[in-house]
Amino acid sequence: MLSARYADVSLATTWGETALFYNPGKRLPRGIYFATLKDHDGANDKASALHRPGVFRLSLGLPRGDYISRFGPVPLRPGKGGVVLGPWDFTALDQLSPHPIYAWMGWVAVLNPSHSTLAALSPLFDAAFDKARHGFRRRLG
C-alpha cells in the first residue's frame, strides 16, 4: 500500500522488521526510513506483546511538531530494553500511541490498524514521508 502510494520507496527487511525507505536513485545505501511493520518481539522490544497470534505493529516517524500536537512533548529516550514513560497502553489494538521505544525520536505506532484507522492516519503517512524526503536531502547535502 505505502510503497505504491509514494514514489522512490523501497522495502527492506532490517532490524527484524520490514521498513519502507525513501531513496530516489538508490543514492544512499538504504535511504531514509519512514514506516515499519513488525510482527514479533525483539530482545529489547517486547512492549507491544507482538508474540500474540496475528498481532503486528505499524510505526511512522513523524516530524516533531506533528508528534507534539498529538501527544505533547516527546519523552526521554528509554534505557536498553526499556520503554518510554507515559500513560499509554502499548498492547492496545487499533489505537495510535507513541512508539514504545522510539517516541523520543517522534515515532508513533498502532497495532493491527483497522481500515478506518488507516484512512484516518493518511495525513500522518504524508508527514512521515515528507520528513524522510527532507532527511534525504539533508543527508546528501
Side-chain angles (χ1 to χ4, degrees):
M1 168 185 118
L2 292 177
S3 59
R5 179 174 172 164
Y6 301 108
D8 300 314
V9 170
S10 60
L11 292 165
T13 301
T14 183
W15 305 297
E17 56 197 10
T18 300
L20 285 89
F21 291 88
Y22 176 72
N23 196 10
K26 308 275 188 232
R27 293 168 56 192
L28 294 175
R30 291 214 179 190
I32 306 295
Y33 73 111
F34 67 95
T36 64
L37 287 169
K38 188 168 185 171
D39 64 0
H40 62 280
D41 292 327
N44 294 310
D45 182 0
K46 297 179 182 357
S48 297
L50 298 177
H51 63 274
R52 296 174 287 167
V55 176
F56 67 94
R57 182 175 66 209
L58 169 66
S59 303
L60 299 169
L62 298 182
R64 189 165 296 269
D66 289 284
Y67 179 95
I68 290 170
S69 71
R70 289 191 174 260
F71 298 109
V74 293
L76 296 175
R77 182 179 186 171
K80 185 175 182 178
V83 298
V84 297
L85 298 177
W88 309 286
D89 178 0
F90 299 122
T91 65
L93 302 179
D94 199 30
Q95 304 256 332
L96 184 68
S97 71
H99 189 286
I101 298 168
Y102 299 113
W104 65 275
M105 294 190 309
W107 280 73
V108 297
V110 60
L111 305 182
N112 292 43
S114 64
H115 291 292
S116 61
T117 296
L118 286 173
L121 293 177
S122 184
L124 297 185
F125 289 124
D126 293 343
F129 181 73
D130 286 343
K131 179 182 177 185
R133 284 191 340 196
H134 293 298
F136 181 85
R137 287 186 205 123
R138 271 193 315 273
R139 186 153 314 158
L140 290 180

